[in-house]
Each structure stands twice: as C-alpha cells, then as structure tokens.
mmCIF file of all heavy atoms in Angstrom:
data_model
loop_
_atom_site.group_PDB
_atom_site.id
_atom_site.type_symbol
_atom_site.label_atom_id
_atom_site.label_comp_id
_atom_site.label_asym_id
_atom_site.label_seq_id
_atom_site.Cartn_x
_atom_site.Cartn_y
_atom_site.Cartn_z
ATOM 1 N N THR A 1 -10.164 10.287 -3.612
ATOM 2 C CA THR A 1 -9.282 11.117 -2.998
ATOM 3 C C THR A 1 -9.564 11.417 -1.563
ATOM 4 O O THR A 1 -9.792 12.551 -1.089
ATOM 5 C CB THR A 1 -9.177 12.484 -3.740
ATOM 6 O OG1 THR A 1 -10.546 12.988 -3.713
ATOM 7 C CG2 THR A 1 -8.778 12.264 -5.204
ATOM 8 N N PRO A 2 -9.569 10.283 -0.652
ATOM 9 C CA PRO A 2 -10.011 10.536 0.730
ATOM 10 C C PRO A 2 -8.940 10.965 1.534
ATOM 11 O O PRO A 2 -9.146 11.443 2.779
ATOM 12 C CB PRO A 2 -10.572 9.028 1.167
ATOM 13 C CG PRO A 2 -9.583 8.302 0.327
ATOM 14 C CD PRO A 2 -9.394 8.954 -1.123
ATOM 15 N N LYS A 3 -7.614 10.917 1.232
ATOM 16 C CA LYS A 3 -6.546 11.166 2.064
ATOM 17 C C LYS A 3 -5.937 12.654 1.789
ATOM 18 O O LYS A 3 -5.941 13.100 0.729
ATOM 19 C CB LYS A 3 -5.438 10.242 1.893
ATOM 20 C CG LYS A 3 -5.716 8.655 2.170
ATOM 21 C CD LYS A 3 -6.068 8.502 3.542
ATOM 22 C CE LYS A 3 -6.479 6.904 3.750
ATOM 23 N NZ LYS A 3 -7.600 6.457 3.023
ATOM 24 N N GLU A 4 -5.373 13.201 2.826
ATOM 25 C CA GLU A 4 -4.855 14.527 2.677
ATOM 26 C C GLU A 4 -3.273 14.485 2.873
ATOM 27 O O GLU A 4 -2.648 15.426 2.554
ATOM 28 C CB GLU A 4 -5.362 15.415 3.710
ATOM 29 C CG GLU A 4 -6.912 15.837 3.453
ATOM 30 C CD GLU A 4 -7.456 16.717 4.421
ATOM 31 O OE1 GLU A 4 -6.779 17.215 5.390
ATOM 32 O OE2 GLU A 4 -8.740 16.983 4.297
ATOM 33 N N THR A 5 -2.757 13.480 3.367
ATOM 34 C CA THR A 5 -1.338 13.332 3.531
ATOM 35 C C THR A 5 -0.745 11.926 3.111
ATOM 36 O O THR A 5 -1.550 10.946 2.884
ATOM 37 C CB THR A 5 -0.949 13.505 5.191
ATOM 38 O OG1 THR A 5 -1.571 12.365 5.860
ATOM 39 C CG2 THR A 5 -1.416 14.723 5.653
ATOM 40 N N VAL A 6 0.546 11.913 2.803
ATOM 41 C CA VAL A 6 1.076 10.724 2.359
ATOM 42 C C VAL A 6 1.070 9.725 3.612
ATOM 43 O O VAL A 6 1.547 9.960 4.606
ATOM 44 C CB VAL A 6 2.452 10.935 1.855
ATOM 45 C CG1 VAL A 6 3.231 9.632 1.556
ATOM 46 C CG2 VAL A 6 2.469 11.873 0.714
ATOM 47 N N LYS A 7 0.712 8.408 3.268
ATOM 48 C CA LYS A 7 0.720 7.389 4.166
ATOM 49 C C LYS A 7 1.829 6.452 3.800
ATOM 50 O O LYS A 7 1.939 6.135 2.566
ATOM 51 C CB LYS A 7 -0.678 6.668 4.305
ATOM 52 C CG LYS A 7 -0.774 5.579 5.366
ATOM 53 C CD LYS A 7 -2.075 5.011 5.529
ATOM 54 C CE LYS A 7 -2.180 4.142 6.628
ATOM 55 N NZ LYS A 7 -3.644 3.496 6.894
ATOM 56 N N ILE A 8 2.580 5.870 4.765
ATOM 57 C CA ILE A 8 3.786 5.081 4.536
ATOM 58 C C ILE A 8 3.656 3.698 5.081
ATOM 59 O O ILE A 8 3.337 3.610 6.213
ATOM 60 C CB ILE A 8 5.055 5.635 4.908
ATOM 61 C CG1 ILE A 8 5.232 7.003 4.186
ATOM 62 C CG2 ILE A 8 6.239 4.837 4.629
ATOM 63 C CD1 ILE A 8 6.346 7.936 4.725
ATOM 64 N N TRP A 9 3.961 2.726 4.295
ATOM 65 C CA TRP A 9 4.102 1.263 4.875
ATOM 66 C C TRP A 9 5.516 0.856 4.648
ATOM 67 O O TRP A 9 6.135 0.890 3.536
ATOM 68 C CB TRP A 9 3.118 0.315 4.195
ATOM 69 C CG TRP A 9 1.764 0.463 4.445
ATOM 70 C CD1 TRP A 9 1.054 0.026 5.618
ATOM 71 C CD2 TRP A 9 0.806 1.227 3.801
ATOM 72 N NE1 TRP A 9 -0.324 0.343 5.391
ATOM 73 C CE2 TRP A 9 -0.380 1.162 4.377
ATOM 74 C CE3 TRP A 9 0.947 2.155 2.556
ATOM 75 C CZ2 TRP A 9 -1.617 1.690 3.925
ATOM 76 C CZ3 TRP A 9 -0.247 2.725 2.092
ATOM 77 C CH2 TRP A 9 -1.463 2.572 2.821
ATOM 78 N N ASP A 10 6.225 0.550 5.795
ATOM 79 C CA ASP A 10 7.624 0.203 5.666
ATOM 80 C C ASP A 10 7.772 -1.247 6.170
ATOM 81 O O ASP A 10 7.219 -1.511 7.257
ATOM 82 C CB ASP A 10 8.505 1.073 6.553
ATOM 83 C CG ASP A 10 9.961 0.938 6.111
ATOM 84 O OD1 ASP A 10 10.617 -0.104 6.428
ATOM 85 O OD2 ASP A 10 10.657 1.892 5.555
ATOM 86 N N ARG A 11 8.714 -2.117 5.483
ATOM 87 C CA ARG A 11 8.794 -3.553 5.841
ATOM 88 C C ARG A 11 9.355 -3.611 7.204
ATOM 89 O O ARG A 11 9.205 -4.581 7.867
ATOM 90 C CB ARG A 11 9.602 -4.167 4.747
ATOM 91 C CG ARG A 11 9.648 -5.748 4.932
ATOM 92 C CD ARG A 11 8.346 -6.396 5.007
ATOM 93 N NE ARG A 11 7.720 -6.364 3.652
ATOM 94 C CZ ARG A 11 8.045 -7.044 2.676
ATOM 95 N NH1 ARG A 11 8.923 -7.926 2.770
ATOM 96 N NH2 ARG A 11 7.253 -6.937 1.551
ATOM 97 N N LYS A 12 10.047 -2.532 7.627
ATOM 98 C CA LYS A 12 10.660 -2.635 9.034
ATOM 99 C C LYS A 12 9.554 -2.714 10.120
ATOM 100 O O LYS A 12 9.736 -3.198 11.223
ATOM 101 C CB LYS A 12 11.528 -1.410 9.216
ATOM 102 C CG LYS A 12 12.886 -1.432 8.376
ATOM 103 C CD LYS A 12 13.654 -0.231 8.523
ATOM 104 C CE LYS A 12 14.890 -0.208 7.663
ATOM 105 N NZ LYS A 12 15.617 1.077 7.808
ATOM 106 N N LYS A 13 8.378 -2.185 9.854
ATOM 107 C CA LYS A 13 7.247 -2.068 10.740
ATOM 108 C C LYS A 13 6.095 -2.904 10.341
ATOM 109 O O LYS A 13 5.217 -3.242 11.218
ATOM 110 C CB LYS A 13 6.835 -0.605 10.779
ATOM 111 C CG LYS A 13 7.907 0.386 11.288
ATOM 112 C CD LYS A 13 7.430 1.767 11.366
ATOM 113 C CE LYS A 13 8.547 2.799 11.872
ATOM 114 N NZ LYS A 13 8.025 4.168 11.879
ATOM 115 N N PHE A 14 6.041 -3.347 9.095
ATOM 116 C CA PHE A 14 4.846 -4.205 8.681
ATOM 117 C C PHE A 14 5.353 -5.424 8.185
ATOM 118 O O PHE A 14 6.350 -5.583 7.504
ATOM 119 C CB PHE A 14 3.999 -3.408 7.517
ATOM 120 C CG PHE A 14 3.359 -2.252 7.972
ATOM 121 C CD1 PHE A 14 3.941 -0.908 8.103
ATOM 122 C CD2 PHE A 14 2.046 -2.146 8.426
ATOM 123 C CE1 PHE A 14 3.472 0.162 8.485
ATOM 124 C CE2 PHE A 14 1.397 -1.018 8.920
ATOM 125 C CZ PHE A 14 1.977 0.083 8.965
ATOM 126 N N SER A 15 4.562 -6.550 8.415
ATOM 127 C CA SER A 15 4.839 -7.776 8.096
ATOM 128 C C SER A 15 4.636 -8.164 6.509
ATOM 129 O O SER A 15 3.842 -7.361 5.849
ATOM 130 C CB SER A 15 4.079 -8.747 8.885
ATOM 131 O OG SER A 15 2.718 -8.766 8.435
ATOM 132 N N LEU A 16 5.165 -9.266 6.111
ATOM 133 C CA LEU A 16 4.889 -9.724 4.696
ATOM 134 C C LEU A 16 3.490 -9.936 4.574
ATOM 135 O O LEU A 16 2.909 -9.476 3.439
ATOM 136 C CB LEU A 16 5.677 -10.993 4.486
ATOM 137 C CG LEU A 16 5.618 -11.561 3.012
ATOM 138 C CD1 LEU A 16 6.162 -10.667 1.968
ATOM 139 C CD2 LEU A 16 6.397 -12.966 3.002
ATOM 140 N N ALA A 17 2.729 -10.549 5.466
ATOM 141 C CA ALA A 17 1.341 -10.717 5.295
ATOM 142 C C ALA A 17 0.509 -9.427 5.207
ATOM 143 O O ALA A 17 -0.443 -9.397 4.426
ATOM 144 C CB ALA A 17 0.755 -11.490 6.642
ATOM 145 N N GLU A 18 0.929 -8.406 5.946
ATOM 146 C CA GLU A 18 0.294 -7.158 5.848
ATOM 147 C C GLU A 18 0.578 -6.555 4.458
ATOM 148 O O GLU A 18 -0.384 -5.878 3.907
ATOM 149 C CB GLU A 18 0.688 -6.163 6.917
ATOM 150 C CG GLU A 18 0.218 -6.585 8.283
ATOM 151 C CD GLU A 18 0.970 -5.782 9.558
ATOM 152 O OE1 GLU A 18 2.211 -5.799 9.531
ATOM 153 O OE2 GLU A 18 0.148 -5.198 10.241
ATOM 154 N N PHE A 19 1.748 -6.714 4.010
ATOM 155 C CA PHE A 19 2.063 -6.028 2.595
ATOM 156 C C PHE A 19 1.059 -6.874 1.530
ATOM 157 O O PHE A 19 0.675 -6.223 0.669
ATOM 158 C CB PHE A 19 3.430 -6.293 2.207
ATOM 159 C CG PHE A 19 4.267 -5.004 2.452
ATOM 160 C CD1 PHE A 19 4.236 -4.455 3.774
ATOM 161 C CD2 PHE A 19 4.986 -4.461 1.483
ATOM 162 C CE1 PHE A 19 5.059 -3.349 4.024
ATOM 163 C CE2 PHE A 19 5.773 -3.293 1.784
ATOM 164 C CZ PHE A 19 5.769 -2.709 3.012
ATOM 165 N N PHE A 20 0.929 -8.184 1.708
ATOM 166 C CA PHE A 20 0.176 -8.794 0.829
ATOM 167 C C PHE A 20 -1.319 -8.456 0.910
ATOM 168 O O PHE A 20 -1.979 -8.221 -0.059
ATOM 169 C CB PHE A 20 0.258 -10.445 1.125
ATOM 170 C CG PHE A 20 -0.617 -11.274 0.141
ATOM 171 C CD1 PHE A 20 -0.286 -11.521 -1.131
ATOM 172 C CD2 PHE A 20 -1.797 -11.578 0.527
ATOM 173 C CE1 PHE A 20 -1.096 -12.313 -1.954
ATOM 174 C CE2 PHE A 20 -2.766 -12.406 -0.265
ATOM 175 C CZ PHE A 20 -2.383 -12.651 -1.601
ATOM 176 N N GLN A 21 -1.836 -8.217 2.150
ATOM 177 C CA GLN A 21 -3.099 -7.686 2.294
ATOM 178 C C GLN A 21 -3.305 -6.339 1.682
ATOM 179 O O GLN A 21 -4.377 -6.053 1.041
ATOM 180 C CB GLN A 21 -3.555 -7.745 3.843
ATOM 181 C CG GLN A 21 -5.000 -7.324 4.107
ATOM 182 C CD GLN A 21 -5.956 -8.307 3.513
ATOM 183 O OE1 GLN A 21 -5.674 -9.451 3.551
ATOM 184 N NE2 GLN A 21 -6.992 -7.720 2.999
ATOM 185 N N LEU A 22 -2.337 -5.561 1.837
ATOM 186 C CA LEU A 22 -2.317 -4.187 1.200
ATOM 187 C C LEU A 22 -2.586 -4.307 -0.331
ATOM 188 O O LEU A 22 -3.251 -3.585 -0.903
ATOM 189 C CB LEU A 22 -1.126 -3.478 1.586
ATOM 190 C CG LEU A 22 -0.881 -2.058 1.018
ATOM 191 C CD1 LEU A 22 -1.943 -1.125 1.634
ATOM 192 C CD2 LEU A 22 0.516 -1.553 1.335
ATOM 193 N N SER A 23 -1.799 -5.374 -0.944
ATOM 194 C CA SER A 23 -1.882 -5.493 -2.315
ATOM 195 C C SER A 23 -3.348 -5.767 -2.891
ATOM 196 O O SER A 23 -3.716 -5.487 -3.935
ATOM 197 C CB SER A 23 -0.964 -6.512 -2.830
ATOM 198 O OG SER A 23 -1.450 -7.879 -2.543
ATOM 199 N N GLN A 24 -4.200 -6.496 -1.866
ATOM 200 C CA GLN A 24 -5.505 -6.798 -2.174
ATOM 201 C C GLN A 24 -6.370 -5.559 -2.404
ATOM 202 O O GLN A 24 -7.481 -5.581 -2.998
ATOM 203 C CB GLN A 24 -5.976 -7.932 -1.290
ATOM 204 C CG GLN A 24 -5.165 -8.992 -1.260
ATOM 205 C CD GLN A 24 -4.797 -9.728 -2.571
ATOM 206 O OE1 GLN A 24 -5.639 -10.238 -3.212
ATOM 207 N NE2 GLN A 24 -3.589 -9.594 -2.900
ATOM 208 N N SER A 25 -6.058 -4.601 -1.534
ATOM 209 C CA SER A 25 -6.868 -3.299 -1.497
ATOM 210 C C SER A 25 -6.462 -2.410 -2.656
ATOM 211 O O SER A 25 -7.259 -1.626 -3.009
ATOM 212 C CB SER A 25 -6.584 -2.725 -0.146
ATOM 213 O OG SER A 25 -6.985 -3.390 0.905
ATOM 214 N N TYR A 26 -5.268 -2.516 -3.234
ATOM 215 C CA TYR A 26 -4.889 -1.651 -4.318
ATOM 216 C C TYR A 26 -4.334 -2.614 -5.526
ATOM 217 O O TYR A 26 -3.132 -2.458 -5.847
ATOM 218 C CB TYR A 26 -3.731 -0.684 -3.825
ATOM 219 C CG TYR A 26 -4.241 0.224 -2.682
ATOM 220 C CD1 TYR A 26 -3.951 -0.212 -1.320
ATOM 221 C CD2 TYR A 26 -4.921 1.327 -2.916
ATOM 222 C CE1 TYR A 26 -4.350 0.742 -0.409
ATOM 223 C CE2 TYR A 26 -5.424 2.245 -1.941
ATOM 224 C CZ TYR A 26 -5.006 1.836 -0.682
ATOM 225 O OH TYR A 26 -5.595 2.689 0.390
ATOM 226 N N ASN A 27 -5.246 -3.355 -5.950
ATOM 227 C CA ASN A 27 -4.780 -4.419 -6.857
ATOM 228 C C ASN A 27 -4.833 -4.166 -8.466
ATOM 229 O O ASN A 27 -4.972 -5.108 -9.241
ATOM 230 C CB ASN A 27 -5.605 -5.790 -6.671
ATOM 231 C CG ASN A 27 -7.017 -5.644 -6.720
ATOM 232 O OD1 ASN A 27 -7.517 -4.695 -7.222
ATOM 233 N ND2 ASN A 27 -7.782 -6.554 -6.127
ATOM 234 N N VAL A 28 -4.999 -2.909 -8.714
ATOM 235 C CA VAL A 28 -4.946 -2.561 -10.218
ATOM 236 C C VAL A 28 -3.565 -1.971 -10.515
ATOM 237 O O VAL A 28 -2.895 -1.364 -9.596
ATOM 238 C CB VAL A 28 -6.065 -1.572 -10.496
ATOM 239 C CG1 VAL A 28 -7.316 -2.166 -10.373
ATOM 240 C CG2 VAL A 28 -5.737 -0.275 -9.724
ATOM 241 N N PRO A 29 -2.925 -2.041 -11.668
ATOM 242 C CA PRO A 29 -1.626 -1.505 -12.039
ATOM 243 C C PRO A 29 -1.570 -0.021 -12.364
ATOM 244 O O PRO A 29 -0.498 0.432 -12.419
ATOM 245 C CB PRO A 29 -1.231 -2.526 -13.317
ATOM 246 C CG PRO A 29 -2.559 -2.770 -13.895
ATOM 247 C CD PRO A 29 -3.557 -2.798 -12.778
ATOM 248 N N TRP A 30 -2.781 0.468 -12.862
ATOM 249 C CA TRP A 30 -2.807 1.749 -13.406
ATOM 250 C C TRP A 30 -2.821 3.098 -12.652
ATOM 251 O O TRP A 30 -3.067 4.130 -13.050
ATOM 252 C CB TRP A 30 -3.843 1.773 -14.566
ATOM 253 C CG TRP A 30 -5.097 1.183 -14.150
ATOM 254 C CD1 TRP A 30 -5.607 0.001 -14.776
ATOM 255 C CD2 TRP A 30 -6.211 1.665 -13.304
ATOM 256 N NE1 TRP A 30 -6.741 -0.373 -14.185
ATOM 257 C CE2 TRP A 30 -7.208 0.705 -13.350
ATOM 258 C CE3 TRP A 30 -6.300 2.843 -12.506
ATOM 259 C CZ2 TRP A 30 -8.295 0.797 -12.523
ATOM 260 C CZ3 TRP A 30 -7.485 2.799 -11.744
ATOM 261 C CH2 TRP A 30 -8.463 2.066 -11.840
ATOM 262 N N ASN A 31 -2.641 2.862 -11.401
ATOM 263 C CA ASN A 31 -2.681 4.214 -10.479
ATOM 264 C C ASN A 31 -1.310 4.170 -9.580
ATOM 265 O O ASN A 31 -1.343 4.709 -8.558
ATOM 266 C CB ASN A 31 -3.879 4.292 -9.591
ATOM 267 C CG ASN A 31 -3.825 3.169 -8.630
ATOM 268 O OD1 ASN A 31 -3.290 2.071 -8.746
ATOM 269 N ND2 ASN A 31 -4.551 3.442 -7.419
ATOM 270 N N LYS A 32 -0.192 3.575 -10.130
ATOM 271 C CA LYS A 32 0.971 3.421 -9.296
ATOM 272 C C LYS A 32 2.268 3.683 -10.048
ATOM 273 O O LYS A 32 2.352 3.389 -11.327
ATOM 274 C CB LYS A 32 1.087 1.812 -9.018
ATOM 275 C CG LYS A 32 -0.176 1.302 -8.103
ATOM 276 C CD LYS A 32 0.057 -0.187 -7.865
ATOM 277 C CE LYS A 32 -1.190 -0.559 -6.903
ATOM 278 N NZ LYS A 32 -2.482 -0.434 -7.559
ATOM 279 N N PHE A 33 3.203 4.206 -9.312
ATOM 280 C CA PHE A 33 4.555 4.177 -9.697
ATOM 281 C C PHE A 33 5.273 2.943 -9.154
ATOM 282 O O PHE A 33 5.183 2.727 -7.869
ATOM 283 C CB PHE A 33 5.330 5.413 -9.346
ATOM 284 C CG PHE A 33 5.193 6.660 -10.228
ATOM 285 C CD1 PHE A 33 4.871 7.821 -9.813
ATOM 286 C CD2 PHE A 33 5.562 6.480 -11.634
ATOM 287 C CE1 PHE A 33 4.836 8.992 -10.719
ATOM 288 C CE2 PHE A 33 5.617 7.591 -12.411
ATOM 289 C CZ PHE A 33 5.061 8.878 -11.904
ATOM 290 N N ILE A 34 5.899 2.146 -9.848
ATOM 291 C CA ILE A 34 6.600 1.021 -9.424
ATOM 292 C C ILE A 34 8.103 1.189 -9.861
ATOM 293 O O ILE A 34 8.404 1.367 -10.990
ATOM 294 C CB ILE A 34 6.073 -0.353 -9.895
ATOM 295 C CG1 ILE A 34 4.560 -0.388 -9.636
ATOM 296 C CG2 ILE A 34 6.810 -1.588 -9.438
ATOM 297 C CD1 ILE A 34 3.912 -1.634 -10.386
#
C-alpha cells in the first residue's frame, strides 16, 4: 500500500508499449477490477 492517491494511465497519453510494460508490473489477476 505505498500510494495515497489514484494514479491514472490513459491511452491518449501513454503508448501501447507503455501499457504492455505496465502489465508486467501488475501481472496477477486477483487484485483487479476488469
């Protein structure tokens, strides 16, 4: 629980490659709403 505010990644500002890299940092299914 290191964060205190919501952080947002939007495809308008971040590339496909950055989204893929993001998935590698959060690559488990059980802490997500999809």
Side-chain angles (χ1 to χ4, degrees):
T1 56
K3 303 291 187 297
E4 296 182 357
T5 59
V6 174
K7 186 173 182 179
I8 300 172
W9 291 269
D10 194 294
R11 184 59 64 80
K12 295 177 182 178
K13 299 180 180 179
F14 291 85
S15 69
L16 180 63
E18 287 172 310
F19 265 55
F20 180 79
Q21 184 60 41
L22 181 64
S23 75
Q24 305 309 293
S25 300
Y26 300 98
N27 57 14
V28 295
W30 37 254
N31 66 334
K32 298 174 180 63
F33 272 129
I34 302 173

